[in-house]
Amino acid sequence: MRRPPLLLMDEPAAGLINSEVDEIDHLVRLLAKELNVAIVIVEHRIELLDTIADRVLVMDVGEVIAQGQMRDILADARVRAAYFDNLGAEH
């Protein structure tokens, strides 16, 4: 297929340095906007998601705990408890 309607990406920024993350950001924007491709990304690098995501869905232990825009996600108490409050602790 030359122009798929949907692209699935799993951790595209894993192991990359910041300048490489910027390149991924540019590529994702290009695909989404200029080629009209819908993109679903599984990613833990919030700085990447913050710049490119129209909508965010957060899961914890297989359950959806929040969805919406990034600013709302980051303020959500369930998201903070699952991902930020216990950094370094096993979940």
Side-chain angles (χ1 to χ4, degrees):
M1 286 178 35
R2 292 184 181 198
R3 291 191 182 232
L6 175 66
L7 175 63
L8 304 175
M9 301 177 84
D10 185 19
E11 299 282 349
L16 301 181
I17 61 174
N18 288 341
S19 63
E20 294 168 330
V21 173
D22 292 343
E23 290 178 33
I24 294 289
D25 180 330
H26 175 74
L27 179 60
V28 169
R29 287 172 188 270
L30 176 74
L31 291 169
K33 304 276 189 244
E34 294 185 19
L35 300 178
N36 198 30
V37 174
I39 302 173
V40 174
I41 300 175
V42 174
E43 182 60 67
H44 289 90
R45 302 249 336 232
I46 291 178
E47 66 274 17
L48 175 62
L49 295 176
D50 191 33
T51 63
I52 62 174
D54 293 329
R55 290 178 288 170
V56 177
L57 182 137
V58 179
M59 297 181 75
D60 184 37
V61 193
E63 179 183 331
V64 175
I65 60 170
Q67 56 185 316
Q69 294 185 347
M70 183 60 81
R71 69 177 177 274
D72 300 326
I73 295 299
L74 293 175
D76 189 289
R78 295 166 297 175
V79 173
R80 296 203 63 76
Y83 287 95
F84 301 112
D85 290 348
N86 297 313
L87 289 178
E90 283 191 37
H91 191 11

